[in-house]
Amino acid sequence: MIKTVSLCKKFNHTWVLDNLNLNINRAEFYCLLGPNGAGKTTTLKLLSGLLRPTRGKVYIGGFDIVSSPLEVKKLLGFIPDTPFLYDNLTGQEYLEFVGNIFGIEEKTLERNIDYYLNLFGLKEIKDSLLRDYSHGMKQRITYISNFIHDPTVLLVDEPLVGLDPQAIHLIKKLLKEKVKGGMTILMCTHILQIAEELADRVGILDKGHLIAEGSLDQLKAKIAKGSLEDIFLKITANDKSREHIKEK
Amino acid sequence: MAIFLTLRLKSFKNLASRYFRNYPFRFLSIVFFSFTAIFGVYLVILEGFTFLVSLGGFGSIIIKRLFYILFFIIFFMLGISFGVLFYTASFRSRETEFLLTLPIEIRKISFFKFIESTLLASWIPILGLIVFIASYAKINHIPIFLPLLSFVYFIPFILISCFLGYLVCVSVLKFFNLKKLFIFVILVFIATFLLFTKSFKKETKDIFYLLSEEIIFFKISKTWFLPFSWVPWGIIHFEDGNLLRSFVFLANLWSLSLLCLNSLFLKGGNIFTNIFIRHSIPKHKYYHKSLLDKLLRMKLLPHHFRNFFLKDIKLFIREPILWLQFLIFFGLLFFYFLNLRRFSYHLLDDLWKNLIVFLNTFSVLCIVGALAIRFVFPQWSLEGKSYWILKLSPIALKSIYLEKFILSFLIMFLTSLVLIFTSNQMLKASMPIFYLTFYIELIASFSLVSFSLGLGAYFADFKTDYYLKAVESLGGLVALVLNFSYVVITVFIFTFINHLFIIGKLINFKKYLLTTIYLWTGISFFLVYILTYVGLRKLKEKEY
């Protein structure tokens, strides 16, 4: 469902992503991990078409993002780490706007919006401006705006920033259900427990290179026994931090 | 304070040098064409002055009047521009939240925001004033150092004007909500309207009366005790050799501006904190489905257009900065056209009437050009950090571009149509002139909106916190120069042909006029195509 071939991205004179080859299947939950500046967000932005590849190809559902961007966008949902929305629209208006962009039939849209607003506990403030929402509320609106059009592929950047425990629980449950229903999810996160709990496969990026990939069991067998944290620290720590970890 | 300004300068320097390093040719081209365009504007103003001087006595009077009126208008426009910038830079910017957490006195933060907004609001007017003064100096054979000397006058003038904008801005934020503000603005218009209607009793066709100081607009612009007249008074006294009087006006300017700065520094901190706190509390006001929703739900337009129209109109209505400026622009224009009948221009000779018809077309086009810069140019930057929503939508960017164009063009064209109709009616213009000005209005509005939208897409900045930064940026300047040059050239061509015809120097008028119309339309469409193509292509390439 998601495929990248020798994907590279250069900003000015720096390669932030080098020769990335991903192959994610339909109804698979894939987690991309990596330290700060590893290229995770860049990868998501390249997959969604927010950035253009310097070299290489991106295929979503068999469509090339560069030559058939509209076909790809019909399949895609995207949840950024910081929800920049239209502050002068109400929550309801924003959701209707997104639903109309995706051409959802009016009655279905109304039903979906109503259902998810109830589920996420935003029904009461749906008619107030987004500028008055907290960060977590905006993040919930972003999730709803993606769920109402039920994308085939969902890209999630840091899924739980600013959310309360109840919302976190709900989102984890919903994401699991969506994958069971056939949705493909690619998620970038720093929270290793989430990846451990949800992911079918994990990829670890460091300095723009995919340095490890596989299911949790495969990684444990290949790299280190223990938790995902141990595996992650073992392959991404530099010499200084490795010494520091040892001393501890 | 110095730290903040140094920080801004450093960011600007880094941005410019990064752009120069990455795109040296583009950078140098922009710099070169900006200077060429500014020089072009200088030549156009000079040409205008030369024409006015060639008229004899009238011309000299008009130039002097222009001098006072220019400073009168700039004083208020600068105040408005400053108010909007100060509001967005201080109370809508995330930077302020961060600055307030630092161990810095709040009055210093408030003072920095004042200076920053002043610099942003004034750099384009200063550039325009320098060009104007340079042309004025040249035509009046005044030494070339006058433009340099006038800086000493401009700085306090700008500070006073911005301080006025500051007072209005903080008063509005402190005492008004949206509804009260709207009612207040309408009341101000009604009061001004009544005042103006009362002040124009006399109807005459005497051209000397029209240029005399009996006219309230001229009278106010020359009032010696009001600060907007101090710069022209000072410069004209300097030009006449009355150095002492010139110095008195200069001293007035500096003492008042320093008083403004001092009071801002002493009291600004408290006011700033109060407004910031008041403004940052979530209000949770509820907006239910309105008449607009119902209207746009009617299936008169394609589905996507309705969706984007609704979004853009709502964002406009709910942003007081936008509609307030729109109201002020049209309010000013309304009073201008109200004066036409009062001045009884329709009783004048054909020569003058013709000139005034085209001057009105010029002023309407100038307003369309200015509105296009203010509202159409930043359309893309207004999407700001929310641009990712459009970029990821399964709708082609050119459809969204078209929607923005149709909405902007409809508003611009319809309003300018009403204005040009009123102007022609009041001047009792002949039918051919009626049709000609309509046609000019149609094509020019189409072109000006396209130029602004195309350049707005080319220079779109999705990272900025406040959209007016886009208007005050280099891209805004390029669009301003292009729009203004287009308007000047358009009006000049048609006025010139009509003028030649009226004074009997053009025999085959119809043929010349038609050829001009074809050529002008062709060139306009060519420019529209180029700028739309370039803007759209750049927009597609832009990364988020």
Side-chain angles (χ1 to χ4, degrees):
Chain A
M1 186 51 73
I2 301 175
K3 190 179 175 188
T4 67
V5 183
S6 307
L7 186 63
C8 303
K9 182 67 188 173
K10 191 179 173 184
F11 286 128
N12 295 326
H13 302 290
T14 317
W15 288 97
V16 283
L17 204 63
D18 197 5
N19 211 25
L20 179 71
N21 292 294
L22 285 178
N23 208 337
I24 303 169
N25 302 318
R26 189 181 170 80
E28 187 178 9
F29 201 122
Y30 189 98
C31 246
L32 205 53
L33 308 174
N36 291 330
K40 301 184 298 296
T41 302
T42 305
T43 307
L44 282 199
K45 286 187 172 183
L46 283 164
L47 294 178
S48 61
L50 289 174
L51 293 177
R52 290 162 73 89
T54 310
R55 270 206 305 263
K57 295 269 182 195
V58 174
Y59 298 98
I60 306 278
F63 297 107
D64 182 345
I65 187 100
V66 177
S67 57
S68 318
L70 292 187
E71 281 74 9
V72 169
K73 285 170 190 175
K74 279 176 195 160
L75 304 174
L76 265 185
F78 182 70
I79 294 165
D81 56 344
T82 318
F84 290 112
L85 309 173
Y86 292 111
D87 280 352
N88 280 334
L89 290 184
T90 66
Q92 171 85 22
E93 286 168 352
Y94 174 71
L95 295 173
E96 282 174 3
F97 172 69
V98 175
N100 285 328
I101 283 180
F102 282 88
I104 304 170
E105 197 261 324
E106 207 170 315
K107 288 220 166 109
T108 317
L109 179 62
E110 244 172 66
R111 207 175 42 241
N112 285 356
I113 291 176
D114 214 45
Y115 172 75
Y116 282 111
L117 281 174
N118 259 327
L119 196 64
F120 279 89
L122 293 175
K123 182 97 177 164
E124 277 175 20
I125 54 156
K126 71 182 172 79
D127 289 323
S128 58
L129 296 183
L130 285 169
R131 76 156 83 128
D132 294 333
Y133 283 37
S134 69
H135 180 91
M137 287 171 177
K138 283 186 185 175
Q139 192 70 308
R140 280 189 258 175
I141 284 283
T142 315
Y143 273 101
I144 300 177
S145 70
N146 278 282
F147 290 151
I148 52 170
H149 65 87
D150 208 16
T152 316
V153 175
L154 183 65
L155 307 173
V156 191
D157 194 3
E158 287 303 340
L160 309 176
V161 181
L163 292 172
D164 59 33
Q166 265 186 334
I168 291 174
H169 178 76
L170 177 67
I171 283 165
K172 283 198 289 194
K173 196 174 147 232
L174 277 172
L175 291 179
K176 273 184 206 166
E177 278 172 19
K178 295 282 174 193
V179 172
K180 271 186 194 158
M183 190 184 277
T184 307
I185 298 181
L186 170 56
M187 185 168 89
C188 289
T189 184
H190 286 294
I191 309 172
L192 303 176
Q193 290 89 328
I194 296 283
E196 228 165 353
E197 193 180 332
L198 298 175
D200 297 317
R201 272 197 306 152
V202 172
I204 299 177
L205 264 182
D206 193 19
K207 292 173 191 144
H209 297 273
L210 188 68
I211 51 172
E213 191 187 39
S215 66
L216 206 56
D217 292 335
Q218 286 170 337
L219 290 179
K220 276 178 189 169
K222 244 194 277 179
I223 300 161
K225 291 237 161 17
S227 66
L228 184 58
E229 191 179 0
D230 298 324
I231 299 169
F232 183 80
L233 289 176
K234 185 164 183 194
I235 59 173
T236 59
N238 57 31
D239 295 342
K240 279 261 161 115
S241 50
R242 217 168 267 143
E243 275 170 31
H244 184 73
I245 294 163
K246 266 186 191 172
E247 278 169 26
K248 272 194 162 181
Chain B
M1 177 68 198
I3 299 172
F4 291 137
L5 287 176
T6 318
L7 203 72
R8 284 284 186 272
L9 280 175
K10 268 188 186 163
S11 326
F12 179 74
K13 195 197 89 188
N14 290 345
L15 203 70
S17 56
R18 197 183 74 170
Y19 199 74
F20 178 64
R21 246 195 337 268
N22 293 334
Y23 315 101
F25 180 71
R26 210 180 293 174
F27 182 87
L28 291 174
S29 309
I30 289 173
V31 172
F32 174 74
F33 285 115
S34 300
F35 277 107
T36 316
I38 291 166
F39 187 65
V41 173
Y42 165 76
L43 290 180
V44 168
I45 297 175
L46 196 64
E47 192 60 34
F49 279 159
T50 315
F51 169 72
L52 287 173
V53 167
S54 73
L55 291 176
F58 290 141
S60 306
I61 298 173
I62 293 172
I63 292 177
K64 286 273 189 295
R65 295 281 176 275
L66 275 177
F67 205 55
Y68 285 98
I69 287 170
L70 178 79
F71 280 93
F72 176 64
I73 292 172
I74 286 186
F75 187 80
F76 289 103
M77 291 315 245
L78 189 62
I80 294 167
S81 187
F82 171 87
V84 172
L85 276 166
F86 183 74
Y87 166 66
T88 42
S90 304
F91 308 114
R92 294 287 291 273
S93 162
R94 298 215 157 184
E95 190 200 33
T96 313
E97 277 174 40
F98 166 69
L99 291 178
L100 287 173
T101 62
L102 299 177
I104 304 167
E105 282 178 85
I106 295 174
R107 62 181 180 158
K108 287 184 183 166
I109 298 173
S110 148
F111 196 70
F112 160 65
K113 288 288 176 188
F114 177 86
I115 297 294
E116 186 195 25
S117 309
T118 303
L119 289 174
L120 277 171
S122 64
W123 76 275
I124 293 180
I126 285 183
L127 212 62
L129 282 176
I130 291 171
V131 171
F132 185 87
I133 294 283
S135 320
Y136 182 81
K138 172 91 176 154
I139 206 77
N140 285 312
H141 309 290
I142 303 166
I144 198 69
F145 68 82
L146 183 72
L148 298 174
L149 180 89
S150 48
F151 251 113
V152 189
Y153 286 89
F154 291 165
I155 294 167
F157 170 81
I158 283 161
L159 288 172
I160 296 167
S161 161
C162 290
F163 187 73
L164 181 78
Y166 169 81
L167 288 181
V168 174
C169 176
V170 293
S171 310
V172 166
L173 291 171
K174 200 166 165 59
F175 303 112
F176 291 89
N177 59 23
L178 266 184
K179 208 180 268 176
K180 276 187 196 163
L181 179 62
F182 186 76
I183 295 167
F184 178 74
V185 172
I186 298 294
L187 285 178
V188 168
F189 275 135
I190 294 170
T192 323
F193 173 71
L194 292 175
L195 206 74
F196 262 64
T197 344
K198 220 178 164 187
S199 65
F200 293 116
K201 291 283 180 209
K202 200 171 170 183
E203 286 204 4
T204 179
K205 65 172 184 172
D206 180 10
I207 195 74
F208 284 105
Y209 172 74
L210 300 179
L211 296 171
S212 76
E213 288 171 24
E214 292 295 306
I215 304 298
I216 195 159
F217 195 52
F218 294 147
K219 211 174 180 174
I220 295 173
S221 66
K222 278 190 80 174
T223 314
W224 66 269
F225 54 84
L226 293 175
F228 46 74
S229 70
W230 293 347
V231 179
W233 275 119
I235 291 178
I236 286 172
H237 279 311
F238 179 82
E239 183 192 331
D240 295 340
N242 289 329
L243 294 184
L244 188 65
R245 284 189 176 185
S246 173
F247 179 75
V248 169
F249 283 105
L250 183 65
N252 277 348
L253 279 165
W254 276 105
S255 47
L256 183 60
S257 63
L258 291 175
L259 182 70
C260 292
L261 288 186
N262 199 29
S263 52
L264 177 79
F265 197 68
L266 289 176
K267 292 282 166 202
N270 286 341
I271 299 171
F272 193 85
T273 323
N274 288 340
I275 295 174
F276 186 82
I277 292 169
R278 191 171 177 234
H279 205 76
S280 51
I281 299 168
K283 290 173 190 69
H284 281 299
K285 192 185 163 198
Y286 294 102
Y287 291 82
H288 300 291
K289 284 219 163 27
S290 63
L291 182 69
L292 188 69
D293 287 88
K294 285 171 193 156
L295 275 176
L296 282 169
R297 251 164 230 285
M298 286 159 62
K299 290 169 182 166
L300 301 170
L301 288 163
H303 181 75
H304 289 317
F305 274 15
R306 274 186 287 145
N307 196 29
F308 284 104
F309 273 171
L310 196 63
K311 182 208 84 174
D312 284 342
I313 294 172
K314 277 184 177 168
L315 292 181
F316 181 84
I317 293 172
R318 288 175 191 166
E319 190 56 86
I321 305 167
L322 292 172
W323 59 256
L324 199 60
Q325 289 181 85
F326 207 72
L327 270 185
I328 290 167
F329 262 111
F330 278 99
L332 289 175
L333 212 64
F334 173 72
F335 286 113
Y336 171 72
F337 282 104
L338 195 75
N339 290 339
L340 288 176
R341 184 52 71 85
R342 296 284 167 197
F343 287 169
S344 308
Y345 287 132
H346 59 289
L347 301 174
L348 294 174
D349 302 334
D350 275 354
L351 180 83
W352 282 99
K353 208 161 86 176
N354 178 53
L355 195 70
I356 291 166
V357 166
F358 281 99
L359 271 178
N360 282 345
T361 312
F362 175 69
S363 52
V364 172
L365 287 184
C366 276
I367 292 288
V368 172
L371 284 176
I373 297 295
R374 210 68 178 172
F375 300 105
V376 183
F377 177 80
Q379 283 277 316
W380 292 105
S381 298
L382 201 59
E383 295 288 341
K385 289 174 180 165
S386 314
Y387 179 64
W388 69 274
I389 300 165
L390 297 188
K391 184 99 177 159
L392 292 183
S393 72
I395 295 172
L397 265 178
K398 63 180 173 198
S399 295
I400 304 172
Y401 193 100
L402 189 64
E403 176 274 329
K404 285 191 186 294
F405 173 77
I406 292 174
L407 186 65
S408 314
F409 174 65
L410 276 181
I411 295 171
M412 292 294 173
F413 176 62
L414 289 177
T415 39
S416 61
L417 195 71
V418 171
L419 292 172
I420 214 78
F421 181 81
T422 319
S423 155
N424 285 344
Q425 270 297 102
M426 288 200 159
L427 291 164
K428 295 193 172 131
S430 61
M431 273 332 261
I433 291 287
F434 228 105
Y435 290 132
L436 179 63
T437 47
F438 269 149
Y439 182 75
I440 294 174
E441 206 58 42
L442 171 72
I443 302 296
S445 301
F446 181 83
S447 310
L448 291 170
V449 169
S450 307
F451 297 167
S452 306
L453 199 63
L455 286 173
Y458 189 89
F459 290 102
D461 180 1
F462 302 117
K463 285 178 186 156
T464 182
D465 268 343
Y466 42 104
Y467 90 99
L468 262 183
K469 245 189 180 174
V471 180
E472 312 289 348
S473 68
L474 181 69
L477 179 68
V478 173
L480 183 76
V481 171
L482 181 71
N483 277 9
F484 187 66
S485 311
Y486 177 81
V487 170
V488 169
I489 292 166
T490 298
V491 176
F492 178 77
I493 293 168
F494 288 104
T495 317
F496 187 64
I497 287 188
N498 270 281
H499 185 73
L500 287 182
F501 171 64
I502 285 169
I503 59 171
K505 285 192 176 170
L506 204 66
I507 304 155
N508 205 341
F509 173 66
K510 205 175 164 186
K511 187 183 138 196
Y512 278 106
L513 184 66
L514 280 175
T515 317
T516 313
I517 287 175
Y518 290 142
L519 269 174
W520 174 73
T521 310
I523 293 169
S524 298
F525 283 161
F526 175 71
L527 286 174
V528 165
Y529 174 75
I530 295 285
L531 286 167
T532 308
Y533 176 78
V534 169
L536 199 53
R537 213 181 83 166
K538 184 78 181 175
L539 201 63
K540 278 181 188 163
E541 285 170 5
K542 268 190 201 286
E543 296 185 325
Y544 179 83

